Amino acid sequence: KTPYEAPHGMIDLSRCTTVKSADLKSHKKHSFEISTPETTYLLYADDEKAKDDWIGSVGRAIVRCSSTYVSRGQANQGGGNAGRTAQTNNEYEDDSDDYSNSSNNPYFND
């Protein structure tokens, strides 16, 4: 596999329910699984750090898509809006580099 290999497809993270390590399940190092109500996807990272980064990034995306997500600002204010989702991107932790479509990102190809 090279960094220039085309992606196999896309997973709609708004449909995901869990992301977790799958080394024991797959019997391979650096593996993780992403689950939706319909399917469980088994993925492999190049190393343990990359696997942990993927699990963290996908996990944050799952939380953001959740109807129970509350931004830090709303949580600190208290009040009765615990089920309300964050309204602006400014309320989220900045991990925009994870999704950049730059030539340095091996997950996006021309």
Side-chain angles (χ1 to χ4, degrees):
K1 179 179 169 181
T2 69
Y4 305 105
E5 188 174 327
H8 296 287
M10 290 178 52
I11 301 171
D12 182 357
L13 296 181
S14 69
R15 302 275 303 134
C16 292
T17 54
T18 61
V19 58
K20 59 187 176 181
S21 178
D23 291 354
L24 294 175
K25 187 179 202 175
S26 69
H27 304 289
K28 295 188 179 194
K29 290 183 179 180
H30 320 306
S31 62
F32 61 102
E33 65 181 56
I34 298 175
S35 298
T36 69
E38 298 82 25
T39 306
T40 297
Y41 300 92
L42 193 58
L43 298 104
Y44 303 93
D46 293 329
D47 55 44
E48 195 67 19
K49 182 184 180 331
K51 178 182 97 169
D52 291 343
D53 290 347
W54 272 108
I55 290 172
S57 293
V58 172
R60 284 191 301 275
I62 291 171
V63 169
R64 285 189 196 126
C65 292
S66 167
S67 62
T68 58
Y69 175 74
V70 177
S71 73
R72 287 185 202 145
Q74 290 170 343
N76 291 338
Q77 292 173 2
N81 293 329
R84 195 176 125 224
T85 57
Q87 298 297 314
T88 66
N89 288 336
N90 294 338
E91 293 175 333
Y92 297 4
E93 179 183 325
D94 183 22
D95 61 356
S96 56
D97 290 340
D98 292 347
Y99 310 106
S100 69
N101 194 4
S102 75
S103 60
N104 295 331
N105 189 330
Y107 302 104
F108 292 93
N109 303 311
D110 288 336

